[in-house]
Amino acid sequence: MSIFSNKRITLGVTGSIAAYKAADLASKLTQAGAQVDVIFTGAAEKFVTPLTFQSVTGRRGYSDNDLWGNEAHVLHVGLGHAADLLVIAPCTANTIAKLAHGQADNLLTVTALAMQSPLLIAPAMEAGMYDHPATQENIGILKKRGATFIGPAEGHLASGLAGIGRMLETAEILEHIRLLLGQHGPLAGKRVVVTAGGTQEPLDPVRVLTNRSSGKQGYALAQAALDLGAQVTLITAPTALTPPTGARLVAVETAKQMLAAVLQESAGSDALIMAAAVADFRPKNASRDKLKKADGIPQVELEATEDILKTVAAQRQGGKRPRLVVGFAAESRDLLENAAAKLKSKGLDFIAANDISAKDAGFAAETNRVTLLFADGRQEALSLMSKAEVAEVILGWVSKLLE
Ligand code: CTP
């Protein structure tokens, strides 16, 4: 997650019991490479101590005592201006109200008023306080000014009641921070469509023909595109993965559905990256009813599916083809020859050739060994790397070629 490295994040912690979870957030951000400066309100210090946060961030935390210290006149300006992002998690109804009205009576609200970087707020409060028209109006004011609100979620609340008011979990907050950190990247304003997973072709209502694709490489590509600021549509066959926050998801099952989704979503887009393992054959006559053992062993006749990339290439004339089209080649032998042939026949700008016979690369593996072949004959052999790193290199090329 190189997107966090060397980023400066100011984390505001306010007076909610969820403040203890903010220590985990500060820790995870620090582990991911960010510099985290924590500012506590007085109420937050009733729930947690600055020492907890200093221990996980390796940096001193700031409280209202610092507001009246020697460096006070520069501290809030410094904390505000140096930050790439101000995250307030948990954020109480009281702090939301202060921010909405430009009040600046503690170090956190003074800093928020002095800073120009984006503001991400993870509210935490009782359901009644969250629903109150005053809070809802204050949230509306801040949203209009560009603040991003995430959550609160529904669940158990400190009062013992259940309702909407729980702060999001650390992992979800991290995903939203990641999205905001990437938003002004080199692909900002660009539309990127990624396909992922192995399509499923029905034999009958319960059985399908599918392949070993895990979807990991495709999901990593979608994440890498988001990290560079792209608007991402992820067209996905069924997988066990959690989609990256910020991607628009289009769920499909069959090659035919994927073709329709790709044509619709990629028309006029900036880039299409086909990482999906699309079935080449499907049962010609899928049975409407479950095939029964008593009826004997079925003879399954197959027919060819549509080649999605070839269909996209044929649209070049209509101006509907994405500006850049990237494919994958899954090969168990003659890797480069086969990949070069696919590059040409599918009209691609470049192709990622993937040796699926190796244990450390291909379908289920966490790592991949890929060679990129470009339309102009250039080749780049990447060493063994994680699928996330492969995705970063591919998106690096996408952004370079779109310049
Ligand atoms: N692909 C496609 N439509 C298909 C099959 C594949 O668009 N019906 C895309 C894949 O998403 C991939 C590229 O074409 O980006 C190459 O896929 P691959 O399975 O390696 O090649 P095939 O064209 O299926 O050829 P073969 O199976 O004979 O190697």
Side-chain angles (χ1 to χ4, degrees):
M1 286 201 258
S2 59
I3 186 151
F4 290 103
S5 51
N6 303 320
K7 290 290 184 336
R8 292 199 61 168
I9 294 172
T10 301
L11 173 63
V13 180
T14 72
S16 151
I17 180 57
Y20 81 92
K21 291 195 205 168
D24 185 40
L25 177 62
S27 170
K28 296 270 165 44
L29 283 169
T30 307
Q31 287 172 44
Q35 269 186 37
V36 186
D37 288 307
V38 186
I39 306 178
F40 304 93
T41 62
E45 287 189 78
K46 307 262 186 228
F47 290 96
V48 289
T49 73
L51 182 63
T52 315
F53 286 78
Q54 286 170 19
S55 308
V56 296
T57 63
R59 300 168 68 76
R60 65 165 292 213
Y62 298 93
S63 67
D64 287 344
N65 289 336
D66 299 297
L67 190 57
W68 309 113
N70 289 339
E71 40 173 2
H73 60 294
V74 284
L75 180 62
H76 61 277
V77 178
L79 284 171
H81 282 211
D84 294 293
L85 185 65
L86 171 60
V87 181
I88 308 184
C91 191
T92 57
N94 184 39
T95 296
I96 288 173
K98 288 183 190 178
L99 295 171
H101 297 285
Q103 282 187 26
D105 65 347
N106 59 25
L107 183 61
L108 177 60
T109 47
V110 175
T111 304
L113 207 55
M115 80 189 293
Q116 272 127 34
S117 48
L119 173 60
L120 180 69
I121 296 179
M125 64 196 73
E126 277 305 306
M129 295 170 81
Y130 181 66
D131 284 339
H132 196 286
T135 305
Q136 287 302 319
E137 274 172 36
N138 291 333
I139 290 173
I141 291 171
L142 288 169
K143 278 188 180 166
K144 214 152 70 197
R145 275 189 221 136
T148 304
F149 279 78
I150 52 170
E154 200 171 345
H156 172 80
L157 301 174
S159 60
L161 302 173
I164 296 184
R166 279 176 72 85
M167 185 172 83
L168 291 195
E169 297 302 325
T170 302
E172 294 168 291
I173 299 176
L174 278 171
E175 291 289 302
H176 285 281
I177 292 175
R178 182 171 194 167
L179 190 62
L180 283 179
L181 288 177
Q183 67 181 343
H184 299 301
L187 289 179
K190 300 278 194 296
R191 274 179 55 211
V192 175
V193 177
V194 179
T195 66
T199 61
Q200 299 187 346
E201 309 299 329
L203 269 163
D204 70 9
V206 292
R207 302 176 178 95
V208 294
L209 280 187
T210 186
N211 57 65
R212 293 186 194 277
S213 170
S214 64
K216 283 180 191 159
Q217 187 61 72
Y219 278 52
L221 287 158
Q223 180 66 70
L226 289 164
D227 285 348
L228 297 183
Q231 224 178 299
V232 176
T233 302
L234 176 58
I235 301 174
T236 179
T239 71
L241 306 171
T242 309
T245 296
R248 198 166 70 81
L249 216 64
V250 179
V252 297
E253 286 173 8
T254 64
K256 200 183 194 114
Q257 290 167 355
M258 187 169 276
L259 172 69
V262 167
L263 293 181
Q264 160 131 14
E265 300 296 336
S266 72
S269 69
D270 293 286
L272 166 67
I273 309 176
M274 280 288 301
V278 186
D280 292 323
F281 320 104
R282 72 179 148 236
K284 191 170 179 190
N285 299 304
S287 171
R288 286 229 265 143
D289 295 310
K290 186 183 172 196
L291 298 169
K292 302 297 282 180
K293 264 196 302 235
D295 297 332
I297 298 173
Q299 296 295 310
V300 180
E301 194 187 339
L302 300 177
E303 65 178 7
T305 58
E306 305 74 13
D307 189 303
I308 299 176
L309 280 175
K310 282 188 181 162
T311 313
V312 169
Q315 294 197 322
R316 197 181 282 266
Q317 295 89 338
K320 280 191 182 160
R321 180 188 183 270
R323 283 172 63 203
L324 198 76
V325 182
V326 182
F328 272 74
E331 307 294 347
S332 56
R333 61 192 160 120
D334 302 328
L335 178 70
L336 297 182
E337 293 80 347
N338 283 331
K342 284 178 190 171
L343 173 72
K344 203 152 174 237
S345 69
K346 295 182 189 245
L348 306 174
D349 295 279
F350 70 96
I351 192 162
N354 211 183
D355 181 356
I356 53 159
S357 63
K359 272 229 153 32
D360 53 7
F363 289 139
E366 293 300 329
T367 49
N368 229 351
R369 188 181 280 109
V370 155
T371 300
L372 303 181
L373 287 80
F374 294 83
D376 64 5
R378 262 178 308 164
Q379 284 190 12
E380 183 178 328
L382 309 183
S383 54
L384 183 72
M385 39 176 92
S386 70
K387 288 184 174 176
E389 288 166 330
V390 170
E392 273 179 42
V393 175
I394 289 175
L395 266 299
W397 275 109
V398 167
S399 103
K400 209 175 299 177
L401 295 174
L402 283 177
E403 263 168 24

